[in-house]
Amino acid sequence: KTERSQFYQDLIFLLNEELEKINYRTIISRVDLEAQDPELGSFIDRILDYNYAGVISIGHFSPRYPDLLPKKLEFYHNAVFLNTPRGIGDAPCVRIDYGAGVREAVDYLVKKGRKRIALCINDISCDATKGRFAGYCAGLAGNGLPVLPELCWSAEDYGMRAWEGEVLDRILPQAAHVLIREQKVDAIIAGNDLWGVGLIHQLHRMRVKVPQDVSVVGYGDFEYCCWSSTPQLASINHGNRQIAAELIRMIDDLIRGVRTREEIAAAPVDVKSYFLPRASA
């Protein structure tokens, strides 16, 4: 899948590195699941026509084609998925608990005295953002704080959609104005690390001190973002190394005949995201 998220880039690198250690060679294929291309299905078929030992599908959902790729892989001889594929029966998959790290972050922020904690995300339509929101709600409830809709800022509500890229210079000033000036929040959990770093820059321009006035937490634990930020960005790691290890264990078992597809599908693996405190929190 075509994907600009640094998470997918890092996971691809990690999977390739670890697969090489056990003597597998990898071919990385990307398709744009958002494209209005009538040949998209046949293009995927041509990719799958190669004689692969197996396929690891790490990006298979899009609002336009929610189940196109899973259905292409449903009867492929050896295929495993990152997160539950839509539109097909049980499948071998590793699922990310996106909410676990957000719950940990909320717990940490409450212990630091934060009481108006905001969630700043792109949308509430995909599994990743739904998971973040569920973790946010669970964290607040677990600490006896109300879930206030006005503290959950979504770009989609303002007619803007962009996880990353050039449009952030429109999204983040709007988010910062609403959350800081109007809602008076004292902590923000951002949808990803680029948003987190961008919010810190925006707060600096507004003469808001981080973390003295407002704590900021990112999502992804991307080294180039977190460690280059001033202050260093606290973040939530997806559990990349465990994700890679579990996906590789599944595909290796399938290829070597250690377990059947049905046996693996009956025991999906859940990997918890986790919070990493740093100076911005």
Side-chain angles (χ1 to χ4, degrees), residues 115-126:
K115 295 182 178 179
R116 289 185 64 79
I117 301 169
L119 182 67
C120 183
I121 53 179
N122 182 68
D123 58 73
I124 201 69
S125 59
C126 69

Side-chain angles (χ1 to χ4, degrees), residues 194-237:
L194 281 180
W195 283 38
V197 171
L199 283 167
I200 288 175
H201 290 168
Q202 189 64 33
L203 297 185
H204 287 167
R205 294 189 194 101
M206 297 167 69
R207 301 189 182 280
V208 175
K209 295 179 181 178
V210 179
Q212 294 90 333
D213 300 327
V214 176
S215 296
V216 177
V217 174
Y219 203 115
D221 189 31
F222 307 134
E223 185 173 331
Y224 75 94
C225 279
C226 297
W227 295 94
S228 63
S229 171
T230 303
Q232 288 180 356
L233 180 66
S235 189
I236 296 162
N237 191 297

Side-chain angles (χ1 to χ4, degrees), residues 14 24 28 34 50 54 103 105 117 130-131 137 156 168 210 243:
L14 187 57
Y24 286 111
I28 300 166
E34 295 300 322
Y50 288 95
R103 292 194 298 272
I117 301 169
K130 287 178 181 175
C137 294
E156 193 172 52
L168 290 188
V210 179
I243 291 167

Side-chain angles (χ1 to χ4, degrees), residues 8 20 23 27 47 50 62-63 79 82 87-88 93 96-97 125 139-140 155 164 175 187 207 237 274-275:
Y8 284 100
E20 283 187 350
N23 300 315
I27 296 174
I47 291 174
Y50 288 95
S62 79
L82 175 62
I88 65 174
C93 65
I96 303 173
D97 181 347
S125 59
L140 291 176
E164 302 171 359
R207 301 189 182 280
N237 191 297
Y274 57 91
F275 175 61

Side-chain angles (χ1 to χ4, degrees), residues 19-53:
L19 283 164
E20 283 187 350
K21 291 179 182 178
I22 55 174
N23 300 315
Y24 286 111
R25 288 186 292 179
T26 59
I27 296 174
I28 300 166
S29 299
R30 299 171 186 254
V31 296
D32 186 356
L33 293 178
E34 295 300 322
Q36 295 182 351
D37 183 357
E39 300 298 318
L40 182 59
S42 60
F43 177 71
I44 294 172
D45 289 335
R46 290 198 297 274
I47 291 174
L48 297 178
D49 278 343
Y50 288 95
N51 187 28
Y52 304 115

Side-chain angles (χ1 to χ4, degrees), residues 18-263:
E18 295 302 313
L19 283 164
E20 283 187 350
K21 291 179 182 178
I22 55 174
N23 300 315
Y24 286 111
R25 288 186 292 179
T26 59
I27 296 174
I28 300 166
S29 299
R30 299 171 186 254
V31 296
D32 186 356
L33 293 178
E34 295 300 322
Q36 295 182 351
D37 183 357
E39 300 298 318
L40 182 59
S42 60
F43 177 71
I44 294 172
D45 289 335
R46 290 198 297 274
I47 291 174
L48 297 178
D49 278 343
Y50 288 95
N51 187 28
Y52 304 115
V55 173
I56 299 174
S57 177
I58 64 171
H60 44 81
F61 170 80
S62 79
R64 186 180 299 279
Y65 300 110
D67 59 5
L68 174 64
L69 190 53
K71 285 184 175 178
K72 294 287 185 183
L73 289 169
E74 185 174 9
F75 302 107
Y76 194 81
H77 55 286
N78 292 325
V80 301
F81 297 85
L82 175 62
N83 290 320
T84 306
R86 302 194 184 195
I88 65 174
D90 292 339
C93 65
V94 174
R95 303 180 300 205
I96 303 173
D97 181 347
Y98 295 100
V102 180
R103 292 194 298 272
E104 290 180 8
V106 171
D107 288 344
Y108 180 90
L109 293 168
V110 170
K111 288 177 182 176
K112 292 292 183 181
R114 307 302 183 180
K115 295 182 178 179
R116 289 185 64 79
I117 301 169
L119 182 67
C120 183
I121 53 179
N122 182 68
D123 58 73
I124 201 69
S125 59
C126 69
D127 290 342
T129 49
K130 287 178 181 175
R132 287 161 167 75
F133 181 68
Y136 171 72
C137 294
L140 291 176
N143 285 281
L145 295 174
V147 177
L148 303 175
E150 60 269 25
L151 299 191
C152 184
W153 189 93
S154 169
E156 193 172 52
D157 292 341
Y158 293 84
M160 299 182 286
R161 285 179 61 87
W163 274 107
E164 302 171 359
E166 65 279 357
V167 296
L168 290 188
D169 59 359
R170 292 191 299 112
I171 290 176
L172 298 183
Q174 171 76 9
H177 174 78
V178 171
L179 295 176
I180 302 299
R181 298 301 187 212
E182 296 180 13
Q183 299 302 330
K184 312 295 184 186
V185 304
D186 53 20
I188 302 173
I189 300 173
N192 62 36
D193 287 340
L194 281 180
W195 283 38
V197 171
L199 283 167
I200 288 175
H201 290 168
Q202 189 64 33
L203 297 185
H204 287 167
R205 294 189 194 101
M206 297 167 69
R207 301 189 182 280
V208 175
K209 295 179 181 178
V210 179
Q212 294 90 333
D213 300 327
V214 176
S215 296
V216 177
V217 174
Y219 203 115
D221 189 31
F222 307 134
E223 185 173 331
Y224 75 94
C225 279
C226 297
W227 295 94
S228 63
S229 171
T230 303
Q232 288 180 356
L233 180 66
S235 189
I236 296 162
N237 191 297
H238 290 88
N240 296 31
R241 291 205 167 272
Q242 187 183 355
I243 291 167
E246 297 292 352
L247 285 169
I248 290 171
R249 183 171 67 89
M250 284 184 181
I251 199 67
D252 189 45
D253 282 357
L254 277 174
I255 292 169
R256 294 190 299 114
V258 175
R259 291 187 290 166
T260 67
R261 182 184 188 278
E262 290 70 28
E263 287 172 334

